[in-house]
Amino acid sequence: MLTVNFWVEDIVAVVRAKVGNLRRYEVPCAVDVRRMPPLRRYVDMGLAEIRNGVLVVRRDAVTATPLGRAMVKTVSCLSTRPTSVKKVAECAGMDVAKTAFVVSLLRVLYPATLEIFGGYSADSVFAQYGVGAKLPAREMWDEITKLAERGIVVPNPALIRGGRPTVVRSRAAKYSIPPILAAVDYRDAVVLDVGSGFGTKGAATIRWGARHVILLDIDETILRARGNGLLIDRVVGDAHMLPIRSRGVDVAIFWNVYNFLHRPEEAVAEIKRVAKRAVAFSVYNALSGRYVDYRQFLDTASKWGRVKAVRRLGDSQYQAVVEL
């Protein structure tokens, strides 16, 4: 089915309700409080926590909130059969407008749990705009809640009766250390992770024999969250003008940064200046970044040297190891 993903301010985009990426207008799946402000807010509120890359919802904390209680009441009043929202409201002891709000919220946030019908479906509301369409959130919300007030709810039976909740590990966490990175020779190397973020990839090279790792990012907050180590330094810097001497590092990691730079070719030249052994390079065609096609990716990689290994993940991500 279709749902929406909040875009910027009051604008939403229609997306397919399947795990994927926003470039293909699919729901993204990532567990990273540093890059996802809404998730950070839930963690700070005590409603959820991250354990070993897995999002764990604190049920007691959620159900203690007014909205959480309303959602529990609503779900408990759903049956495996289609039920009018008015009957659900009577069962839950809430007015119809509040119940319609909760039902609509469940449908938008968790489209696998239920569908709303009232002469037409919630899915058809999104379909009339089309996948990728951008629309005012209020316009969408008013139409869905009005449908819910007069409509019926058809839940997913497996989630209402006898279904078991499962923990879903995000694809971002599962593949945070891409296998292709192991194709680089890190023995006794000084490694520079450009646009490192939290530094997961840069730090991982230590287990492959790196002598020292420099995590470089323009975001000081995320670098502070990492902390230092005996083999790791953190540097606040700009990829367009690296504060590293020429040929000062053996290996540069330039992972999922290229698309989001204002002047990417300057960063490419800077990496060529500072690295002397290899470059691990990836582009990620997220919707918020510049789209890079596969040919452009290969052309960019070849500016450093010989492409030793390459991996293509559809049109969303390309990965390569380049020997200098």
Side-chain angles (χ1 to χ4, degrees):
M1 295 193 294
L2 304 180
T3 186
V4 294
N5 190 86
F6 281 86
W7 206 271
V8 290
E9 298 178 351
D10 65 337
I11 302 299
V12 293
V14 179
V15 296
R16 299 181 184 89
K18 60 181 289 189
V19 174
N21 66 69
L22 285 178
R23 171 64 67 179
R24 295 197 299 266
Y25 298 105
E26 297 166 348
V27 178
C29 185
V31 178
D32 187 345
V33 295
R34 298 173 299 276
R35 299 301 195 194
M36 297 176 64
L39 185 55
R40 164 60 71 185
R41 185 164 62 249
Y42 300 147
V43 171
D44 290 345
M45 292 171 64
L47 302 180
E49 59 183 294
I50 309 297
R51 299 179 192 163
N52 299 320
V54 176
L55 175 65
V56 179
V57 178
R58 299 182 61 189
R59 180 183 174 88
D60 292 344
V62 173
T63 56
T65 66
L67 180 57
R69 287 194 296 271
M71 293 179 76
V72 170
K73 287 182 181 179
T74 300
V75 171
S76 67
C77 288
L78 297 177
S79 70
T80 55
R81 293 185 175 183
T83 308
S84 71
V85 170
K86 288 183 179 180
K87 286 189 176 181
V88 174
E90 292 174 3
C91 171
M94 302 188 301
D95 60 46
V96 173
K98 184 174 183 178
T99 306
F101 174 90
V102 174
V103 168
S104 300
L105 188 62
L106 288 168
R107 170 59 180 84
V108 171
L109 293 179
Y110 312 107
T113 60
L114 56 85
E115 179 59 302
I116 307 170
F117 289 92
Y120 55 94
S121 66
D123 196 60
S124 66
V125 172
F126 300 126
Q128 71 179 337
Y129 297 105
V131 173
K134 303 161 187 69
L135 62 150
R138 178 53 57 187
E139 177 183 325
M140 176 278 302
W141 187 251
D142 286 346
E143 189 161 3
I144 295 297
T145 53
K146 288 178 182 177
L147 173 65
E149 285 184 10
R150 64 176 185 272
I152 60 174
V153 184
V154 181
N156 181 337
L159 298 176
I160 303 302
R161 292 289 183 268
R164 296 181 60 191
T166 59
V167 173
V168 179
R169 185 183 177 99
S170 81
R171 298 202 306 176
K174 184 175 180 180
Y175 299 112
S176 58
I177 308 297
I180 196 172
L181 285 180
V184 179
D185 179 8
Y186 299 104
R187 288 174 297 178
D188 201 35
V190 175
V191 177
L192 173 66
D193 189 348
V194 179
S196 64
F198 191 61
T200 304
K201 296 173 183 64
T205 65
I206 294 173
R207 74 183 68 164
W208 288 314
R211 172 163 49 95
H212 197 85
V213 175
I214 303 167
L215 305 179
L216 185 143
D217 200 281
I218 202 167
D219 186 345
E220 180 180 353
T221 302
I222 196 171
L223 287 174
R224 288 186 179 278
R226 172 81 213 186
N228 262 356
L230 292 176
L231 304 178
I232 297 176
D233 279 332
R234 301 164 299 163
V235 176
V236 178
D238 189 331
H240 299 96
M241 189 170 59
L242 297 173
I244 305 291
R245 70 176 183 268
S246 297
R247 297 181 62 77
V249 301
D250 297 291
V251 178
I253 297 175
F254 191 41
W255 207 263
N256 296 349
V257 178
Y258 181 91
N259 311 59
F260 306 98
L261 297 177
H262 295 300
R263 303 180 304 280
E265 292 308 312
E266 290 184 18
V268 170
E270 279 291 272
I271 288 174
K272 186 177 181 65
R273 177 181 66 82
V274 304
K276 57 185 179 182
R277 184 187 299 178
V279 177
F281 178 45
S282 174
V283 300
Y284 173 47
N285 286 318
L287 199 64
S288 55
R290 183 187 303 101
Y291 182 79
V292 177
D293 63 34
Y294 189 55
R295 174 51 58 187
Q296 183 183 354
F297 167 75
L298 293 177
D299 288 345
T300 300
S302 65
K303 292 179 180 179
W304 291 309
R306 183 181 71 87
V307 178
K308 175 184 176 183
V310 66
R311 186 182 185 203
R312 179 175 181 174
L313 305 176
D315 290 324
S316 61
Q317 188 177 54
Y318 318 129
Q319 306 171 354
V321 170
V322 185
E323 290 184 338
L324 278 61

